[in-house]
């Protein structure tokens, strides 16, 4: 396992480096790292089912060195994604290493994982013990038949529910449950998800379907917009708006009148939030992406393998982030889908 360098751990007598910013003045504080392109599900909005992993994985040592460079620039939130990150056998060790790091201001990292939850039951407690802060589970129905029609894996629904409960019991709650809504496929689950949030004490977040799937089948008609979701929930139980938890919050937050349950709605299509974006992404094969909808990758691992020093890596990252896109252009004339689908970028 890679050792933690001095610049990550000891800042008592060092001046703090300038925060990582793009040319639009946005502070970049959130790094999403895909640690595998493999997945044990074949969700219909994500994969065609015709192919599996298409991109390589790095060694844990290489991931840690790259992440270390971002942390030294002020990144304070690291989310490990995939593919399915729980397929990496060394995941608890990676989390344990990250949990010992400190930001330039001396604070511990906020370490999160996004998972499909299938393997979470057995890993929730070890990950919590290793230092994991939070977990988000992707779950697109609370009806077993619908859920398994999405994942195309028999028996997946009860495994995920057990995983969510294990995460709650391990102290990783409140667990966030992300549901991508597709009109005519799972949008009839909206009201049931509200009850699931209340019954399981989880935060359910509905996500508008974006043009990021492998088979490029997205159309505007498949999107269930925020206004419709709010109206349907209000018809069942009146919603009460909650304030954002931070400036770059992607979800509009709601609870119900009795305070039980929380709903978030992430609406990148109908109500984009690009102006406050604080995220950059590292793919499983070591490419830096400045936006989900970027048309190109930036070969960070190649720079490292050509002998870059830590200072070289930091300077290169700063130069790339300066070109971060101002916003996406979904639904506009001439919109181009990104060069990679979501499963090959990392959620």
């Amino acid at each position: 396992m890679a050792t933690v360098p001095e610049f990550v751990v000891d800042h008592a007598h060092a001046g703090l480096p300038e925060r990582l910013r793009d040319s639009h003045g946005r502070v970049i504080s959130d790094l999403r790292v895909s640690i595998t392109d493999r997945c044990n599900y074949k969700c219909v909005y994500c994969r065609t089912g015709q192919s599996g992993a298409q991109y390589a994985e790095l060694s844990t040592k290489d991931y840690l060195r790259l992440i270390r460079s971002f942390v030294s620039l002020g990144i304070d939130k690291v989310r490990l994604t995939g593919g399915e990150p729980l397929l990496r056998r060394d995941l608890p060790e990676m989390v344990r290493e990250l949990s010992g790091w400190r930001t330039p201001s001396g604070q511990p990292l906020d370490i999160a994982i996004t998972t499909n939850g299938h393997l979470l039951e057995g890993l929730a407690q070890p990950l919590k013990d290793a230092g994991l802060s939070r977990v988000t589970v992707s779950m697109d129905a609370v009806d077993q038949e619908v859920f398994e029609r999405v994942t195309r894996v028999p028996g997946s629904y009860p495994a995920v529910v057990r995983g969510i409960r294990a995460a709650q019991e391990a102290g990783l709650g409140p667990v966030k449950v992300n549901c991508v809504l597709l009109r005519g496929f799972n949008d009839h689950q909206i009201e049931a998800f509200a009850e699931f949030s209340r019954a399981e004490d989880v935060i359910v977040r509905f996500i508008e379907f974006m043009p990021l799937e492998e088979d490029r089948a997205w159309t505007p008609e498949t999107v269930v917009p925020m206004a419709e979701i709010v109206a349907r929930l209000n018809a069942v139980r009146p919603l009460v708006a909650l304030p954002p938890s931070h400036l770059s919050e992607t979800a509009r937050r709601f609870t119900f009148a009795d305070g039980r349950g929380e709903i978030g709605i992430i609406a990148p299509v109908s109500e984009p939030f690009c102006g406050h974006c604080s995220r950059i992404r590292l793919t499983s094969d070591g490419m830096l992406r400045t936006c989900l909808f970027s048309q190109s990758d930036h070969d960070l691992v190649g720079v490292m393998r050509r002998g870059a020093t830590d200072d070289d890596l930091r300077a290169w990252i700063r130069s790339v982030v300066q070109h971060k896109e101002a916003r996406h252009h979904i639904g506009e004339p001439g919109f181009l889908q990104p060069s990679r689908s979501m499963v090959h970028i990392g959620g």
Side-chain angles (χ1 to χ4, degrees), residues 41 124 262 305:
Y41 283 2
E262 181 175 330
R305 287 173 175 168

Side-chain angles (χ1 to χ4, degrees), residues 297-312:
D297 301 324
H298 304 275
D299 189 5
L300 179 57
V301 72
V303 174
M304 181 186 73
R305 287 173 175 168
R306 289 191 291 272
T309 66
D310 291 335
D311 285 341
D312 292 336

Side-chain angles (χ1 to χ4, degrees), residues 41-325:
Y41 283 2
K42 297 179 289 185
C43 296
V44 294
Y45 63 83
C46 187
R47 291 189 185 271
T48 62
Q50 303 305 313
S51 58
Q54 296 181 24
Y55 296 92
E57 298 175 14
L58 306 184
S59 68
T60 294
K61 180 180 178 180
D62 283 348
Y63 283 126
L64 289 172
R65 186 178 176 205
L66 296 178
I67 295 170
R68 189 174 70 198
S69 298
F70 290 98
V71 173
S72 71
L73 291 169
I75 290 288
D76 53 26
K77 297 178 183 178
V78 175
R79 179 173 292 275
L80 303 177
T81 72
E84 174 45 48
L86 270 57
L87 291 174
R88 288 227 19 160
R89 294 184 179 180
D90 59 353
L91 178 60
E93 289 74 22
M94 188 183 298
V95 170
R96 184 172 292 107
E97 180 77 7
L98 291 171
S99 71
W101 294 9
R102 295 297 179 265
T103 67
S105 62
Q107 299 302 308
L109 289 176
D110 181 2
I111 308 166
I113 285 176
T114 297
T115 171
N116 61 31
H118 194 84
L119 301 174
L120 188 56
E121 182 181 17
L123 284 169
Q125 192 63 58
L127 287 169
K128 174 64 176 178
D129 294 343
L132 185 67
S133 311
R134 297 177 291 116
V135 64
T136 297
V137 177
S138 300
M139 183 181 187
D140 297 308
V142 287
D143 172 272
Q144 182 166 350
E145 181 180 349
V146 176
F147 184 87
E148 294 175 6
R149 197 163 75 238
V150 173
T151 64
R152 295 183 283 191
V153 175
S156 52
Y157 178 75
V160 173
V161 172
R162 291 195 303 269
I164 290 171
R165 291 171 178 169
Q168 298 275 67
E169 292 169 5
L172 290 169
V175 171
K176 291 180 180 177
V177 174
N178 283 355
C179 170
V180 177
L181 289 173
L182 284 74
R183 188 177 303 282
F185 195 81
N186 67 341
D187 60 313
H188 65 290
Q189 293 281 287
I190 291 173
E191 294 82 359
F193 261 113
E195 294 308 312
F196 185 82
S197 170
R198 293 166 61 80
E200 299 290 338
D201 194 25
V202 297
I203 300 171
V204 168
R205 302 197 303 179
F206 296 112
I207 303 175
E208 291 180 347
F209 182 41
M210 293 178 284
L212 288 164
E213 78 289 3
E214 231 172 30
D215 62 3
R216 311 290 180 169
W218 183 89
T219 66
E221 292 72 30
T222 58
V223 177
V224 183
M226 176 187 290
E228 180 178 336
I229 300 168
V230 169
R232 286 178 55 179
L233 290 173
N234 265 322
V236 178
R237 292 180 183 273
L239 293 173
V240 177
L242 294 171
S245 55
H246 50 81
L247 179 64
S248 59
E249 175 77 73
T250 58
R252 290 275 300 277
R253 301 171 59 228
F254 302 89
T255 187
F256 298 98
D258 61 1
R260 287 182 56 208
E262 181 175 330
I263 302 294
I265 304 175
I266 301 175
V269 179
S270 67
E271 299 189 28
F273 40 80
C274 303
H276 296 299
C277 182
S278 61
R279 295 160 197 80
I280 49 178
R281 297 169 187 270
L282 189 66
T283 65
S284 67
D285 55 342
M287 302 293 170
L288 177 58
R289 292 181 66 89
T290 51
C291 176
L292 271 177
F293 294 92
S294 293
Q295 292 300 310
S296 60
D297 301 324
H298 304 275
D299 189 5
L300 179 57
V301 72
V303 174
M304 181 186 73
R305 287 173 175 168
R306 289 191 291 272
T309 66
D310 291 335
D311 285 341
D312 292 336
L313 289 176
R314 289 194 287 271
W316 190 89
I317 290 167
R318 283 193 186 278
S319 69
V320 170
V321 168
Q322 277 296 300
H323 299 284
K324 178 174 168 62
E325 298 83 344

